[in-house]
Amino acid sequence: MPIQSIDPTTGQQLQDFSPIDDAALEAAIASAASAVAPWTARPIAERAAQLRAVAARLRERRGELARTITQEMGKLIGEAESEIEKCALVCDYYADEGERLLADIPIDSDASRSYLAHQPLGVLLAVMPWNFPFWQVFRCAAPALMAGNTLLLKHASNVPRCALAIEAVFRESGLPDGGFKTLLIESGRVEQVLADPRVRGVSLTGSEAAGRQVAATAGRYLKKSLLELGGSDACVILEDADLDEAVKTALRSRFINAGQSCIAAKRIIPVRAIADDLVARLREAVQGLQPGDPLAPHTTLAPMAREDLRDELHQQVQDSLAAGAELLIGGQPLDRSGWFYEPTLLDKVGPGMPAYEEELFGPVAVVIRAEDEADALRIANDSRFGLGGSVWTRDQARGERFARAMACGAAFVNGLVKSDPRLPFGGIKDSGYGRELGAPGIQEFLNAKTLWIG
């Protein structure tokens, strides 16, 4: 079966790609393995200079690369341009901080000298999703390469042009052969790669189902793994919140990338004292969203990335309505070419509904009303997911206490939940394990090696 690139705005096929055969796959793995020793032997300053060259190339090609993203998975062109810049920033961050993050750590012991050294594991496999087709790859690749590893990319099947463009950026910036290679392979061949003894670890960002399968495979072959899976982030709005700011940020969080973000505000939880006011403001804001061509500057809501994803979202909405949720706006696929879904707002969502229990990956805002602060915290933590969360209050100390009590990997007070090269990112519970970005992001795929000198 060919790997197809399809424009979500029109539903029209852009290009077909043939999966590589076993001989080409073997050659790619062999090249990555042979590149490890010379790449690791390079001084840290040289590896940092290489990452800076990658960042420069990304910025040089920003407009062209952003357009590839928009044409292949549908996000707004402005969002795509910001994504390319963010990829350059993560390269800059690890180039600037790599020497500090990889430095030996002295340890007091009975030795004349003992310390912890950081050494790369070798060849890594990155299994990446389509929703942020450049950023998800670069937040994995930048620390991995800075640490001295090499990388094989198995990208989502609907973004092959993005996958090849990423490889080209690394090649054009001078990364040695074997340092980074895109594998145009089917999902069923991931196990073949992980089974190879030259491949020492895997980082996956994607669905729960994919995460469970890859984690099981990695365990079978004793490979280090990192998983960043789904999320159903709570956005809690307390009675003393700045409602104007809370609504503006909740709208942006929920509908950015057509709602297809792991850390979107998927569960908006206002306390009873301000719930009616909050919902009225939110409804007006959602009504103002303008679906359309994501390359056009006036468009504020992009299409969804695939038809099957839109169908799945619509079924979740319909099942939630049948179970008692209240539809305030939207709730239907748009009658036009491409895979658009109406900007949708559901109110009075409760336990047992898909909108409460599951991740809704699309432009659907969900309101779950809470009695008070304690009830809001209970609802926020009543999820099998634990990626991110936020709380809104004018009392900063109150917000910090609430945020510390949230069961998630990142909690924000009066702000948009976002990833940042400087801040560790990852989840708990069914949102996965391990951390990307910051210091933990480079440590995930290192051998923390103890040295003891008598």
Side-chain angles (χ1 to χ4, degrees):
M1 288 289 289
I3 297 172
Q4 294 185 326
S5 176
I6 298 176
D7 185 344
T9 304
T10 64
Q12 299 300 306
Q13 183 174 310
L14 299 171
Q15 198 171 354
D16 269 358
F17 298 86
S18 298
I20 61 173
D21 60 21
D22 285 346
L25 179 57
E26 162 57 30
I29 297 173
S31 178
S34 64
V36 172
W39 179 243
T40 302
R42 288 198 179 195
I44 289 176
E46 288 190 17
R47 298 203 298 264
Q50 180 60 67
L51 279 187
R52 291 191 182 97
V54 173
R57 188 61 178 154
L58 284 165
R59 291 182 172 114
E60 288 170 6
R61 296 185 59 192
R62 175 181 171 181
E64 171 197 351
L65 296 173
R67 192 174 183 90
T68 298
I69 292 174
T70 297
Q71 289 176 334
E72 191 160 57
M73 60 71 57
K75 74 174 57 185
L76 300 179
I77 187 64
E79 293 177 0
E81 290 170 348
S82 296
E83 181 171 339
I84 298 300
E85 175 59 24
K86 194 171 184 178
C87 293
L89 288 173
V90 77
C91 292
D92 289 340
Y93 171 79
Y94 282 107
D96 293 343
E97 300 296 329
E99 187 168 5
R100 176 181 66 84
L101 296 173
L102 296 171
D104 295 343
I105 301 175
I107 301 172
D108 290 333
S109 74
D110 60 344
S112 62
R113 188 162 69 98
S114 54
Y115 59 95
L116 192 69
H118 301 103
Q119 298 179 335
L121 296 183
V123 181
L124 306 177
L125 173 64
V127 182
M128 293 290 122
W130 49 264
N131 58 329
F132 291 89
F134 272 68
W135 168 242
Q136 308 279 22
V137 174
F138 275 87
R139 77 180 188 190
C140 169
L145 291 168
M146 189 67 218
N149 298 296
T150 61
L151 206 68
L152 299 169
L153 170 64
K154 192 290 179 204
H155 218 323
S157 60
N158 60 320
V159 288
R161 295 169 73 230
C162 288
L164 293 171
I166 292 168
E167 181 185 272
V169 166
F170 281 108
R171 182 176 63 251
E172 293 162 3
S173 64
L175 186 70
D177 289 345
F180 183 99
K181 179 66 177 176
T182 285
L183 307 176
L184 289 183
I185 60 174
E186 308 89 335
S187 297
R189 296 168 73 190
V190 167
E191 179 167 0
Q192 182 181 345
V193 180
L194 275 179
D196 193 296
R198 294 167 293 184
V199 176
R200 299 311 313 157
V202 58
S203 176
L204 176 141
T205 298
S207 67
E208 284 179 83
R212 292 179 192 278
Q213 186 171 7
V214 166
T217 303
R220 187 178 310 120
Y221 296 106
L222 297 179
K223 306 296 174 75
K224 174 68 188 294
S225 62
L226 180 152
L227 303 180
E228 193 267 280
L229 308 178
S232 188
D233 288 10
C235 173
V236 174
I237 304 171
L238 301 178
E239 71 281 354
D240 63 345
D242 179 337
L243 290 188
D244 289 337
E245 193 64 28
V247 168
K248 181 176 72 174
T249 305
L251 182 80
R252 180 184 173 204
S253 176
R254 187 60 196 103
F255 290 93
I256 193 171
N257 204 29
Q260 300 165 125
S261 169
C262 295
I263 50 172
K266 298 192 180 80
R267 295 179 298 141
I268 300 169
I269 307 171
V271 296
R272 181 167 57 87
I274 50 90
D276 288 343
D277 190 8
L278 182 283
V279 169
R281 295 174 186 231
L282 188 59
R283 179 176 183 170
E284 182 179 0
V286 173
Q287 283 178 321
L289 292 171
Q290 182 61 51
D293 181 357
L295 291 170
H298 62 271
T299 301
T300 54
L301 185 66
M304 295 184 65
R306 297 200 315 258
E307 187 175 19
D308 62 309
L309 298 171
R310 185 183 67 173
D311 292 345
E312 179 182 350
L313 177 72
H314 184 55
Q315 190 61 56
Q316 289 173 307
V317 169
Q318 294 303 304
D319 290 348
S320 296
L321 294 175
E326 183 177 331
L327 179 65
L328 298 185
I329 183 174
Q332 294 290 331
L334 282 170
D335 184 17
R336 57 176 295 166
S337 63
W339 301 318
F340 290 85
Y341 197 81
E342 288 182 320
T344 297
L345 178 60
L346 301 180
D347 192 10
K348 299 177 182 175
V349 169
M353 303 177 189
Y356 187 98
E357 308 288 352
E358 301 172 7
E359 179 180 29
L360 270 60
F361 215 61
V364 178
V366 169
V367 175
I368 306 169
R369 298 180 181 231
E371 281 298 311
D372 52 24
E373 179 180 342
D375 192 40
L377 180 61
R378 177 192 64 79
I379 294 170
N381 290 341
D382 185 26
S383 173
R384 71 176 189 274
F385 299 106
L387 193 53
S390 62
V391 59
W392 291 82
T393 170
R394 284 188 169 89
D395 184 336
Q396 190 176 78
R398 181 189 189 190
E400 187 172 350
R401 286 193 304 272
F402 193 101
R404 288 184 68 92
M406 297 180 83
C408 57
F412 284 56
V413 180
N414 297 331
L416 176 78
V417 179
K418 61 186 178 181
S419 55
D420 180 312
R422 300 163 293 186
L423 300 176
F425 181 88
I428 59 173
K429 301 191 284 187
D430 285 1
S431 290
Y433 52 76
R435 290 295 179 270
E436 295 181 291
L437 304 176
I442 202 169
Q443 293 163 359
E444 283 285 349
F445 292 103
L446 287 171
N447 172 21
K449 184 175 182 178
T450 297
L451 283 95
W452 188 100
I453 296 93

